[in-house]
């Protein structure tokens, strides 16, 4: 391992969209990173995306993240000082809600905490988990015009409702119950642990992947929502009223590991969002204008607001613009489609 000053972060889900940006941000901030992956080939694929950080990036194979024992080797050399838990099934059309979403999300969330306690040797200082606006938003209230969501809000879904749910509702339930399980675990183990918890709760995450996207086959569900707009003739209807840029989400995770006051806090990282506004702003780029539908220019469907200012106050997070996020996302998708077509 190369000389480094800030410690080593164990990152789960580093092969994904959000996890990749977290790895990039962590490495660029001076941390070493140990990513977990379900197979050696998946670990190698992720490591290859960061060639200039080869000496500060390592991996550990965690075949089943729902068992604490699976992490024993990841902690074995005693170097882990921080943890980012980003792995969770992001699947908006599960076949079996319990098997595909609830069990891996919830057991995965508490297993990493249990593993940090059992195998961390008292060296782990902070755990940051990628939760979601799905854990904040009360889906039963719909567009809720005039309401402002912030960290005090919780998706009120119960276990019984979660098990009986499907689709997007089930995914949101998996995120809410997984985050609750983490806070409950922390409260129950307070006397024994060396670390505290912070959670990052973004709405739809858009923005670029950290690596060059060469195809559109395995996009995160959120990026796929923008991908389907390219070369289509319709702008999607309102679903959720918030977004965050992938680079901001990554910065929030890394700062929440470091800022003392972040411990014990949830951070709603994001801003208001409408598909039509994203398309209008991206269409200011003449190349993108050729690939995106016009829709109802200027339309802004009334709905709730997203208050992401706690992340600015505590973490010093500065938000960018929807124009930049939308433009960067669509440009990367258009390029990936070209590479795919040429392959
Ligand atoms: N994108 C968004 O709009 C958004 C918004 C809020 C929160 N989030 C959260 O951000 C995190 C990452 O999402 P993403 O958008 O980056 O999606 P993604 O690209 O699909 O990545 C998901 C990651 O989680 C891992 N994972 C999923 N199920 C797993 C399991 N059972 N065991 C081990 N690893 C598993 C995947 O591992 P493999 O690479 O091995 O498949 C992948 O690395 C998730 O916690 C998601 O809930 C995303």
């Amino acid at each position: 391992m190369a000389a480094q000053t800030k410690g080593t972060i164990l990152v789960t889900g580093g092969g994904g969209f959000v996890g990749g940006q977290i790895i990039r941000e962590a490495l660029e901030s001076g941390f070493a990173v140990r990513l977990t992956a379900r197979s050696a080939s998946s670990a190698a694929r992720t490591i290859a995306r960061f060639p200039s950080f080869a000496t500060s990036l390592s991996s550990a194979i965690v075949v089943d993240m729902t068992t604490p024992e699976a992490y024993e080797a990841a902690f074995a050399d005693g170097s882990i000082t921080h943890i980012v838990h980003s792995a969770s099934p992001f699947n908006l059309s599960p076949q079996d809600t319990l098997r595909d979403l609830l069990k891996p999300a919830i057991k995965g969330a508490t297993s990493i905490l249990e593993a940090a306690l059992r195998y961390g040797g008292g060296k782990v200082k902070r755990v940051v988990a990628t939760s979601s606006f799905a854990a904040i938003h009360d889906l039963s209230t719909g567009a809720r015009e005039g309401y402002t969501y912030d960290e005090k809000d919780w998706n009120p879904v119960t276990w019984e409702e979660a098990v009986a749910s499907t689709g997007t509702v089930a995914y949101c339930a998996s995120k809410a119950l997984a985050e609750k399980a983490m806070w409950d675990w922390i409260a129950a183990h307070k006397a024994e642990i060396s670390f505290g918890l912070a959670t990052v709760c973004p709405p739809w995450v858009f923005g670029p992947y950290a690596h060059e996207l060469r195809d559109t086959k395995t996009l995160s569900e959120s990026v796929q929502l923008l991908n389907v707009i390219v070369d289509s003739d319709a702008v999607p209807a309102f679903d959720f009223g918030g977004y965050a840029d992938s680079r901001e989400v990554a910065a929030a995770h890394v700062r929440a590991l470091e800022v003392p006051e972040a411990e014990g806090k949830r951070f709603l990282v994001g801003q208001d969002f409408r598909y039509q506004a994203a398309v209008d702003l991206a269409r200011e780029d003449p190349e993108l204008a050729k690939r995106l539908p016009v829709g109802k220019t200027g339309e802004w469907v009334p709905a709730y607001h997203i208050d992401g200012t706690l992340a600015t106050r505590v973490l010093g997070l500065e938000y960018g613009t929807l124009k930049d996020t939308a433009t960067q996302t669509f440009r990367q998708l258009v390029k990936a489609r070209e590479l795919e077509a040429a392959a």
Side-chain angles (χ1 to χ4, degrees), residues 13 16-18 38 86-88 90 130-132 171 175 202-203 205 220 222:
F17 169 49
V18 170
R38 289 188 256 196
S86 190
S88 199
F90 189 15
T130 315
S131 185
S132 174
Y171 167 71
K175 295 303 288 182
V205 182
S220 168
S222 57

Side-chain angles (χ1 to χ4, degrees), residues 237-280:
F238 176 89
D239 50 27
F240 292 96
Y243 86 103
D245 187 284
S246 53
R247 297 159 292 185
E248 293 160 0
V249 173
H253 280 80
V254 175
R255 290 185 196 181
L257 288 175
E258 296 188 275
V259 173
E261 297 75 24
E263 182 173 323
K265 291 191 174 63
R266 322 170 75 197
F267 294 97
L268 170 48
V269 169
Q271 307 180 70
D272 291 348
F273 174 78
R274 301 292 184 274
Y275 289 105
Q276 184 66 55
V279 169
D280 287 350

Side-chain angles (χ1 to χ4, degrees), residues 10-14 35-39 60-72 74-75 83-90 98-116 118-119 130 171 174-175 178 182:
L10 185 68
V11 177
T12 71
L35 62 93
T36 68
R38 289 188 256 196
S39 67
I61 306 307
V62 174
V63 175
D64 178 5
M65 70 167 181
T66 65
T67 61
E69 298 77 23
Y71 287 99
E72 189 168 1
F75 288 94
I83 295 172
V84 171
H85 180 56
S86 190
S88 199
F90 189 15
L98 191 60
R99 183 198 63 197
D100 300 341
L101 285 174
L102 297 177
K103 186 168 175 264
I106 299 168
K107 291 283 287 171
T110 53
S111 290
I112 185 91
L113 297 173
E114 188 64 39
R118 265 194 229 174
Y119 309 119
T130 315
Y171 167 71
S174 79
K175 295 303 288 182
M182 290 188 103

Side-chain angles (χ1 to χ4, degrees), residues 14 17 49 152 166 224 250 275 341:
F17 169 49
R49 291 171 180 163
K152 72 179 178 315
T166 57
Q224 179 62 11
Y275 289 105

Side-chain angles (χ1 to χ4, degrees), residues 175-246:
K175 295 303 288 182
L177 296 177
E179 191 192 335
K180 274 196 185 122
M182 290 188 103
W183 289 117
D184 288 349
W185 189 98
I186 291 285
H189 294 83
K190 216 159 186 48
E192 309 158 71
I193 49 178
S194 58
F195 53 88
L197 176 68
T199 61
V200 176
C201 303
W204 289 135
V205 182
F206 303 125
Y209 276 76
H211 63 278
E212 186 187 32
L213 203 57
R214 299 194 66 84
D215 64 62
T216 57
K217 291 190 198 97
T218 56
L219 296 173
S220 168
E221 294 264 10
S222 57
V223 182
Q224 179 62 11
L225 293 169
L226 296 195
N227 183 43
V228 297
I229 304 176
V230 178
D231 297 333
S232 82
D233 54 12
V235 175
F238 176 89
D239 50 27
F240 292 96
Y243 86 103
D245 187 284
S246 53

